[in-house]
Amino acid sequence: MPIRPVPRTLLRDRAYEAIRDAIVAGEIEPGAVVRDADLAERLALSRAPVREAFSRLVDEGLLESKPQSYTRVTPVVAAEVRDAAAVVGAMHELVTRVAVPRLCEADLDEMRAANDRFAAAVRTGDVDGALRADDALHHVLVRVAGNGAAAATVARYTPLIRRLERRRFAEGGTCRSAGLHGRLIDACAAGDTETALRVTADIWRSLAGLADPE
């Protein structure tokens, strides 16, 4: 089979995901200046896909840029986190309403396994593991609903929330509750859409509260 070039879009996506994840994880801190040449070297890519990733991250609010001057990581702004949580929460309520009647036992088992991983990660202080498990649990509903616009909106705005959420986890908080997840799964298993919606709203309301003054 002939070897084909890697499509440019894949390189751009690879750069975007790596830089986004580093910002969310705090490996590139708020206020840090980023340079395409430096990151291209670290990622073993050319500068072009890194620049394209920068443009996307500026649009999504994780980077800010002043032409001919700098590109840097944006600060964590409480109002922006609250706005993002409201939008993402609304999308999760939408997909929950659609997904609950469609869930099969394999989907529920996937959600239960993710919640078990989430609870274990919270107990051991594994921030990355907790957030991965949380994503996996909620992604089941997003996937089953099959609404591409909702999925894209969740993907776009969740990183703004994650930066603050990750910080709270690192400080010893439990920004999301395995108990709330359990209630959500129970409602899904019972086919109780209205209860699932109420629990979903509770989950995302608690995330909006992360941005409240301490």
Side-chain angles (χ1 to χ4, degrees), residues 38 62 69 82 100 132 135 141 170 180 183 185 207:
D38 294 342
L62 292 175
S69 182
R82 284 193 293 268
V100 169
R132 282 195 302 270
D135 278 339
L141 295 168
L180 275 176
R183 286 172 51 201
I185 295 166
L207 282 179

Side-chain angles (χ1 to χ4, degrees), residues 110-120 133 137 177-179 181-182 185:
E110 188 177 345
M111 293 175 74
R112 293 183 185 108
N115 198 32
D116 288 344
R117 296 195 303 275
F118 174 84
L137 188 156
S177 163
H181 286 161
I185 295 166

Side-chain angles (χ1 to χ4, degrees), residues 6 35 55 58 62 82 107 125 142 146 165 167 175 189-190 192 205 210 213:
V6 176
R35 296 177 176 84
S55 178
V58 168
L62 292 175
R82 284 193 293 268
D107 298 321
V142 174
E165 187 178 11
R167 182 186 300 173
C175 304
D192 186 346
R205 192 159 42 243
L210 288 176

Side-chain angles (χ1 to χ4, degrees), residues 2-11:
I3 297 175
R4 296 181 176 84
V6 176
R8 181 182 180 86
T9 53
L10 296 185
L11 295 177

Side-chain angles (χ1 to χ4, degrees), residues 15-28 57 62 159 166:
Y16 163 78
E17 290 170 4
I19 298 166
R20 178 203 61 196
D21 291 349
I23 292 170
V24 171
E27 295 167 10
I28 308 176
L57 289 162
L62 292 175
R166 198 179 193 287

Side-chain angles (χ1 to χ4, degrees), residues 9-123:
T9 53
L10 296 185
L11 295 177
R12 177 194 63 203
D13 292 345
R14 177 184 161 196
Y16 163 78
E17 290 170 4
I19 298 166
R20 178 203 61 196
D21 291 349
I23 292 170
V24 171
E27 295 167 10
I28 308 176
E29 296 182 351
V33 172
V34 292
R35 296 177 176 84
D36 56 10
D38 294 342
L39 287 173
E41 182 177 358
R42 289 169 59 183
L43 294 170
L45 295 171
S46 68
R47 294 169 71 173
V50 173
R51 287 182 187 136
E52 292 177 31
F54 278 8
S55 178
R56 183 173 173 185
L57 289 162
V58 168
D59 287 343
E60 294 183 0
L62 292 175
L63 292 178
E64 57 188 3
S65 182
K66 182 177 180 181
Q68 309 302 320
S69 182
Y70 62 77
T71 300
R72 66 188 179 195
V73 178
T74 56
V76 178
V77 178
E80 292 177 1
V81 174
R82 284 193 293 268
D83 289 348
V87 170
V88 173
M91 292 301 99
H92 277 287
E93 288 182 51
L94 185 156
V95 300
T96 296
R97 183 177 295 280
V98 174
V100 169
R102 300 180 180 179
L103 291 167
C104 66
E105 195 59 35
D107 298 321
L108 295 167
D109 286 344
E110 188 177 345
M111 293 175 74
R112 293 183 185 108
N115 198 32
D116 288 344
R117 296 195 303 275
F118 174 84
V122 169
R123 284 195 301 270

